Amino acid sequence: MNAPLLKLHVAPDLVDQVYQALLGAIADGTLAPGARLTQEEIAQQLAVSRQPVLQALRQLKQDGLVLDAPGRGVQVAPLTAAGTAAVYQVRGALDALAAGLAAQRREALDAKLIERGRKAARGRNVQAMIEADAAFHSAVYAASGNPLIARSAHLHWAHIRRAMGASLQATTLRDAVWDEHETIARAIAAGDAARAERLMREHAARASEHITRRLEAAFGAEARNA
């Protein structure tokens, strides 16, 4: 090859940017359950064309985060305690599997993950708390050596982020969560697979109980329905 190739400057995928913006707004409650969404309004607010908005809404609908609205457009899906508990059942199994496999490999998770989480827990930025929590669990998935775990968990985390957004507005368990994360990380590094699996499963069960209880308190009987 005689002539050098020009460097490529790849722009971030616009559909994914719209998807992430809408997912973040749904997760932190800016877009509340039942909120009506139209392509025109979203496109105007995000300063994009309608096409990436249409594709993003289709993806959110496939994920179960939005539903067809009566008449025209879509609306944010209801947030229910029963649905959240079901998601956490699957997440608990996947996370326990990942923790056990990571422990078999004696993987040492980056200590900065815990530091980042504790710092976020001391603040008021709910999105930062959610991202720190997701980063820790993603690191466990990666440490497992099984790429199918992260792929399987991806959809569940979209719903978990939303439930966490509703729960983390007011909670006294932020520090406790990161104490549990640190204990799990130590069990993984020590190679204690049985303990790592048990701790991770208990961690998911406590999170599920706490979040579903807060959802019921916030949304009443509606949140208990599937």
Side-chain angles (χ1 to χ4, degrees):
M1 184 179 296
N2 296 323
L5 295 175
L6 295 176
K7 292 183 179 180
L8 297 177
H9 298 281
V10 181
D13 184 73
L14 194 55
V15 174
D16 186 61
Q17 288 187 66
V18 174
Y19 174 86
Q20 292 297 334
L22 291 173
L23 177 60
I26 292 172
D28 67 18
T30 300
L31 293 175
R36 193 180 184 90
L37 309 175
T38 64
Q39 296 177 37
E40 294 83 357
E41 185 177 358
I42 295 171
Q44 183 178 13
Q45 290 188 19
L46 297 180
V48 298
S49 67
R50 291 176 55 185
Q51 187 60 30
V53 174
L54 174 62
Q55 295 299 324
L57 288 175
R58 283 177 177 172
Q59 187 174 346
L60 288 167
K61 183 178 178 181
Q62 186 176 18
D63 291 346
L65 294 169
V66 301
L67 307 170
D68 286 327
R72 185 164 174 256
V74 297
Q75 61 187 27
V76 178
L79 183 58
T80 69
T84 299
V87 169
Y88 266 93
Q89 285 180 335
V90 178
R91 174 194 159 175
L94 285 172
D95 284 12
L97 173 62
L101 292 174
Q104 291 177 22
R105 295 155 58 92
R106 292 182 178 270
E107 293 284 347
L109 301 183
D110 190 345
K112 292 182 180 179
L113 291 167
I114 306 295
E115 295 175 9
R116 174 187 173 188
R118 292 193 184 281
K119 180 179 180 180
R122 292 192 297 268
R124 296 184 178 182
N125 188 329
V126 172
Q127 192 62 28
M129 298 178 204
I130 295 173
E131 294 299 335
D133 194 275
F136 173 82
H137 287 274
S138 294
V140 176
Y141 301 153
S144 74
N146 185 337
L148 293 179
I149 295 177
R151 295 175 194 170
S152 300
H154 174 73
L155 172 59
H156 307 304
W157 266 96
H159 293 275
I160 288 168
R161 283 181 58 178
R162 186 182 181 203
M164 289 177 66
S167 172
L168 288 173
Q169 299 293 340
T171 181
T172 59
L173 297 180
R174 295 174 184 172
D175 290 333
V177 165
W178 286 98
D179 290 340
E180 292 174 13
H181 283 169
E182 186 168 7
T183 302
I184 291 167
R186 289 176 178 173
I188 291 173
D192 193 338
R195 185 165 185 262
E197 288 184 21
R198 175 178 58 81
L199 289 172
M200 187 66 92
R201 198 178 297 275
E202 292 173 350
H203 173 68
R206 277 191 291 270
S208 176
E209 180 182 1
H210 173 70
I211 289 178
T212 53
R213 187 168 58 244
R214 291 206 60 84
L215 288 177
E216 290 178 354
F219 296 104
E222 181 181 354
R224 290 192 290 271
N225 298 326

